[in-house]
Amino acid sequence: MKKLKYLCLFLFLNLAISFPVTSEASQVDFGWSVPEYFLNNEGSEDEKKYLIWVFSIRNTIDTEITIPVATILSTDTDKYYEAKYIPEIAEKVSENGEKYLSSDKMKGEYGPGVTRKGIAIFEDIDPYAQKINIFMTGLSHFFFWRWRLSDYSYKITYKRSGSKWILEEHGFSKDNSHRNYVDKFKGAQPDINYWP
């Protein structure tokens, strides 16, 4: 019986060494702001209210990687919103003349040390929503794909506090409730399956 325990321990350790665990943070730094409301054409007939969310992605390793990101927002009232890019709004909210990219342009090859900053603009968010979730897909794909495992989305949850949003929790999530909406908003996914 003792030999069986040692054999199992040996096999487990051998398996663990064969597949080193790689931290997400060691390959990609992902940063984001708290979403804020922005009124465009304030006081006019064309006044519109948008929710603005700014984020950044940086490759922290010495190898080029491909990051196939997509951004979706969901509410606790079961509504889903596509991230839009409105150049005039992106320009108005940019700091120090920095140019924010659309979620679509954040996709692609990231050379060593490359950082890109993006903006997601969501229109007509349900005023009754008390919680929102922002899903960022594709952040773990480049290393999970090697082992043919699933790419879990990074999920950031905010709760309403008056007219502001406060961070409640964040992290990689198996929640794939937004899956059909990524397909709907972005069309059919490529050959690689990003979903569990």
Side-chain angles (χ1 to χ4, degrees):
M1 192 66 166
K2 214 173 196 181
K3 284 184 181 182
L4 183 60
K5 276 186 179 178
Y6 287 122
L7 179 62
C8 288
L9 180 62
F10 173 76
L11 290 174
F12 174 76
L13 289 174
N14 195 18
L15 185 63
I17 292 169
S18 299
F19 294 100
V21 176
T22 306
S23 159
E24 293 84 20
S26 69
Q27 297 193 19
V28 168
D29 274 347
F30 174 49
W32 64 90
S33 68
V34 172
E36 293 183 15
Y37 285 109
F38 178 81
L39 282 177
N40 196 31
N41 300 321
E42 192 172 358
S44 72
E45 287 181 13
D46 298 333
E47 180 178 292
K48 284 195 176 181
K49 189 176 187 180
Y50 298 95
L51 190 66
I52 308 294
W53 185 66
V54 176
F55 62 99
S56 67
I57 299 172
R58 181 171 69 93
N59 177 2
T60 62
I61 61 173
D62 294 333
T63 306
E64 185 175 90
I65 54 178
T66 300
I67 303 178
V69 296
T71 310
I72 300 291
L73 182 143
S74 72
T75 66
D76 58 348
T77 55
D78 290 327
K79 295 191 175 160
Y80 291 82
Y81 302 87
E82 177 182 15
K84 296 184 177 189
Y85 183 77
I86 303 170
E88 68 181 61
I89 293 176
E91 190 175 308
K92 286 178 184 176
V93 299
S94 67
E95 296 174 1
N96 303 324
E98 186 161 26
K99 184 175 165 113
Y100 294 125
L101 301 173
S102 68
S103 291
D104 282 341
K105 290 194 177 176
M106 292 290 284
K107 296 178 184 176
E109 303 296 322
Y110 282 67
V114 168
T115 300
R116 294 185 186 147
K117 292 188 177 180
I119 188 168
I121 301 170
F122 302 100
E123 188 176 356
D124 297 327
I125 300 298
D126 185 346
Y128 297 105
Q130 295 302 307
K131 282 190 182 182
I132 59 172
N133 300 303
I134 298 178
F135 293 94
M136 179 66 76
T137 67
L139 292 177
S140 66
H141 170 74
F142 50 88
F143 61 86
F144 276 117
W145 177 77
R146 287 185 292 206
W147 304 328
R148 299 202 181 278
L149 295 177
S150 298
D151 170 29
Y152 299 115
S153 298
Y154 201 86
K155 179 181 177 184
I156 306 165
T157 302
Y158 298 94
K159 64 180 178 182
R160 184 185 294 277
S161 176
S163 62
K164 304 227 180 254
W165 294 99
I166 297 172
L167 179 66
E168 185 172 84
E169 63 181 347
H170 64 93
F172 281 101
S173 172
K174 292 182 180 181
D175 178 349
N176 65 359
S177 59
H178 58 292
R179 175 181 178 178
N180 293 334
Y181 292 91
V182 171
D183 293 341
K184 177 182 166 188
F185 294 145
K186 302 298 179 191
Q189 293 295 310
D191 292 338
I192 299 169
N193 179 16
Y194 299 125
W195 307 106

